[in-house]
Each structure stands twice: as structure tokens, then as C-alpha cells.
Amino acid sequence: MRIARFTTGEDPQFGVVTGDLDEHGELDPDASIVALAGDPLYVGMKPTDQSFRLADVRLLAPVLPRSKVVGIGRNYAAHAAEMGSDLPEEPLMFLKPNTSVVGPGDPVFYPRQSRNVHFEGELAVVVGRICRDVPVEKVADVVFGYTVGNDVTARDLQRSDVQFTRAKGFDSFCPLGPWVETDLDASDLRVRTFLNGDLKQDGTTKDLIFDVPTLVSYVSSVMTLLPGDVILTGTPEGVGPMEVGDEVDVVIDGIGTLNNKVVSRD
Ligand code: MG
């Protein structure tokens, strides 16, 4: 099931999106969205009798992380190699503030402090319930679903600061969407990133060094996870710079396409 958050100009609502995806991860134009009563993370799935054409609504970030977005660094061997980094022996965690989250179609603002802002297309795990110390074999019970993420990174600041907080924490540096897919086997999903239509990243979650159950279990052994928290699983090789005016599409098979444009801060 695809759970989206959307607005028709009024207060945001959650809804269930229907329709088939084409090979570009786009929905057919007749897709519709059935509004839900309240946030399904808190009140469960309660469909209303309100329905809209998807083309007539604006999609928003499908989840608002209650407390945090946890990023995972160097989780694909080929990406670690392109960064000149060794492979981590344990998952390498960092945090992005929830204020960095934006939705599909929202602008990514190019910060004045950076001269080298990169895209990082990634599978994003959405946590469904409060949990800690989750055993690997119980992780499926705490995962609400999956969405597409772009772990936007000011590469120059990441190198100069050493700590990742500024480089990955700017407002708009965590696009998520277009919706959360709740029925998905995440063990072998193709992850592609296109910059102005050119294919830049083409990986599969089969190549994750630490897979989704391992990551969720590991993160939950460090910090309590809350409903709506997000774990970004790492990016495949092929990261590169974005400039003002560029358009980025991250496509994950079985989920859909996340599209954002880079816009000047000024
Ligand atoms: Mg990343």
C-alpha cells in the first residue's frame, strides 16, 4: 500500500494512492488518492469516502520524523571506494535534523556556505512504532514501510568539518517521497539517481554492507526509535555535484520517483 501525505490547499491529510507504476517509476495519470482519517502511524488505516485525482493534489513529505533522521555512511563498498574510505566494521551513523526534511517537488536550497553540494539517492526506512533493542528477526514488526530519500550533502563542508552535522543538516537537505510503500521486500531494490535526466547512480540494496534488518536493529541498540523516524540506508556509487537549476530524480523500483530541483538560497 502507498501512503502519501498531501494537500488540496487545505490542511495536510494522509491518503492511500492507487494506480500502476510504469518503468520510470511514474504513476498512470488516472491514479487517485483516498483520504485517511488522521495519521495512520497513530490511528491506523481509516479510509474516508473522500477521493481525489492524484493530479489534483500536491504531495508533501510522506512522513514527518518525530525525532530524527538517522543516516548511514559508506554502506555500499563501491561508494566507500569512490570516497577513498575504508569499509566500516560497524554501521557508521550520523543524524540529520527533522527540519532538513522536504517533500517531492520541493526545492533543495543551495547553501551560501558550500561550493560542492552532492546528491545521494537512498532507500529510506520509516519506523512504525516506538522501539529499542530490536532483535534482527523482529525488525519487520517495527518497520512501517519504505520511501525514497536524497541524503543531500555539502561535500566540501563534510570534509572540512569532519563532523557531518552542518554538511548534511541544512534545511531542505533531506527530500523524502513520493509516498511510503508498506508492502515491499527491501532486500534487492534497484536504486537509481538521474541528474537532469542523465543516469548517475545505479545500485541495488542487495549490495548493502549492512542490510535493513541489521541497520534497524543496530540503530535501536543505540537510541530509541519513535514512530515516523527515518533511517537512510546509504548511497550507491556515483555521487556527484548538483548546481542551481539542476533537477534530480531518485527512482527506487517498487516505490516510485522522488523529484526535486536545486534552487539558490538568495
Ligand atoms: Mg548518504
Side-chain angles (χ1 to χ4, degrees):
M1 202 177 289
R2 300 184 196 104
I3 312 292
R5 199 168 137 262
F6 70 99
T7 179
T8 57
E10 310 283 324
D11 287 344
Q13 304 176 79
F14 289 86
V16 178
V17 177
T18 62
D20 294 323
L21 293 176
D22 66 19
E23 72 265 33
H24 306 296
E26 306 284 352
L27 272 177
D28 66 58
D30 294 328
S32 64
I33 185 162
V34 175
L36 296 171
D39 183 338
L41 278 172
Y42 286 93
V43 301
M45 301 290 294
K46 293 187 177 167
T48 67
D49 56 8
Q50 264 191 311
S51 174
F52 305 89
R53 286 183 70 229
L54 195 61
D56 295 337
V57 307
R58 184 178 151 229
L59 293 181
L60 305 169
V63 61
L64 298 173
R66 263 45 180 196
S67 63
K68 54 201 167 288
V69 176
V70 180
I72 302 294
R74 300 176 206 156
N75 201 22
Y76 289 83
H79 171 62
E82 75 179 345
M83 300 299 292
S85 305
D86 293 332
L87 294 187
E89 291 178 7
E90 291 182 281
L92 176 64
M93 294 170 54
F94 59 88
L95 291 176
K96 288 168 91 82
N98 56 6
T99 43
S100 65
V101 171
V102 292
D106 284 341
V108 170
F109 289 105
Y110 202 111
R112 295 184 197 94
Q113 297 168 29
S114 175
R115 294 283 175 276
N116 191 226
V117 174
H118 281 205
F119 53 82
E120 294 189 0
E122 309 198 4
L123 175 71
V125 183
V126 179
V127 173
R129 59 174 71 170
I130 186 168
C131 58
R132 63 179 287 220
D133 290 331
V134 182
V136 167
E137 62 274 14
K138 296 273 192 194
V139 161
D141 297 345
V142 305
V143 171
F144 179 63
Y146 300 91
T147 190
V148 183
N150 187 349
D151 175 21
V152 179
T153 302
R155 196 70 71 203
D156 48 353
L157 304 182
Q158 184 185 29
R159 293 210 164 96
S160 61
D161 286 0
V162 182
Q163 300 288 326
F164 291 3
T165 305
R166 181 167 65 138
K168 288 177 177 282
F170 285 99
D171 287 1
S172 79
F173 267 31
C174 190
L176 295 174
W179 40 69
V180 177
E181 173 59 68
T182 58
D183 304 310
L184 194 65
D185 175 355
S187 62
D188 184 10
L189 296 174
R190 191 177 185 193
V191 180
R192 285 173 293 167
T193 306
F194 297 84
L195 184 70
N196 302 320
D198 294 334
L199 182 64
K200 297 292 185 182
Q201 295 187 283
D202 189 359
T204 162
T205 58
K206 187 160 48 85
D207 293 333
L208 286 172
I209 297 170
F210 302 104
D211 64 10
V212 168
T214 304
L215 289 178
V216 175
S217 177
Y218 183 86
V219 174
S220 79
S221 75
V222 177
M223 56 186 76
T224 298
L225 293 168
L226 302 185
D229 281 351
V230 168
I231 299 174
L232 296 172
T233 55
T235 199
E237 69 178 315
V239 299
M242 308 182 290
E243 305 298 339
V244 169
D246 283 350
E247 195 163 343
V248 182
D249 288 296
V250 183
V251 184
I252 300 185
D253 290 2
I255 306 178
T257 298
L258 172 66
N259 171 276
N260 298 91
K261 278 203 181 88
V262 183
V263 171
S264 168
R265 196 66 167 164
D266 300 319

